[in-house]
Amino acid sequence: MAAYVALPDAAHRARHALVERVRGVAAELWPTIGAEPFGSCPAGLSAFNADVDLRLVGAHGGGALERLGSALRAAPWVRNLRVISRARVPIITFEATATYEGAPANISVDVCLDGAGDGPRTTRFLKEQSRQYAAFVPVAMT
């Protein structure tokens, strides 16, 4: 079952390209910005319908989340963008159009800024569990 729902290599490449697009938009605001994917994709636990969770490191200044939301909203590959600034972990959430195996695909994206949430730490934990316990990946994905 885990192999059936696992994310194919082409889908991983599409998500990586999407991370670079988001980082490129953010770099127009903050030239030294870094992008750290976290969650199921980098942990190797993503299914075919997995979203992209991304932490941007190096955004600064008041209203950074709103500024990034405005810049992303202008990108032609972004749809249904919402800035959720009053959550425990403030995020920008949207759907992105990407190319997957030559066809357009919609991928959900959640972006937070550095210092927000435990996502990267949880991803490190999931990777470690996957290395230590052979049965972890199939159990986690089903």
Side-chain angles (χ1 to χ4, degrees):
M1 179 68 172
Y4 175 73
V5 299
L7 199 61
D9 288 341
H12 275 290
R13 287 190 298 276
R15 283 161 174 74
H16 178 74
L18 182 56
V19 166
E20 287 306 310
R21 280 203 255 171
V22 173
R23 194 202 61 73
V25 169
E28 293 178 17
L29 300 170
W30 307 283
T32 60
I33 196 88
E36 297 178 355
F38 66 92
S40 61
C41 286
L45 299 172
S46 51
F48 58 89
N49 61 348
D51 69 345
V52 171
D53 298 305
L54 182 61
R55 181 174 78 155
L56 295 177
V57 179
H60 49 78
L65 199 66
E66 289 77 13
R67 288 175 56 203
L68 179 60
S70 294
L72 284 167
R73 200 172 266 119
W77 43 271
V78 172
R79 295 190 338 221
N80 303 322
L81 183 138
R82 293 183 338 177
V83 176
I84 305 171
S85 57
R86 297 198 187 273
R88 185 180 71 78
V89 177
I91 64 167
I92 297 170
T93 184
F94 61 93
E95 290 179 16
T97 302
T99 302
Y100 167 58
E101 293 186 342
N106 293 322
I107 300 173
S108 295
V109 181
D110 295 329
V111 179
C112 67
L113 302 180
D114 52 326
D118 294 325
R121 185 174 58 216
T122 301
T123 300
R124 287 189 297 275
F125 171 78
L126 293 172
K127 285 180 177 180
E128 183 61 31
Q129 297 307 301
S130 297
R131 281 191 290 270
Q132 284 185 351
Y133 305 106
F136 182 79
V137 172
V139 169
M141 289 186 68
T142 55

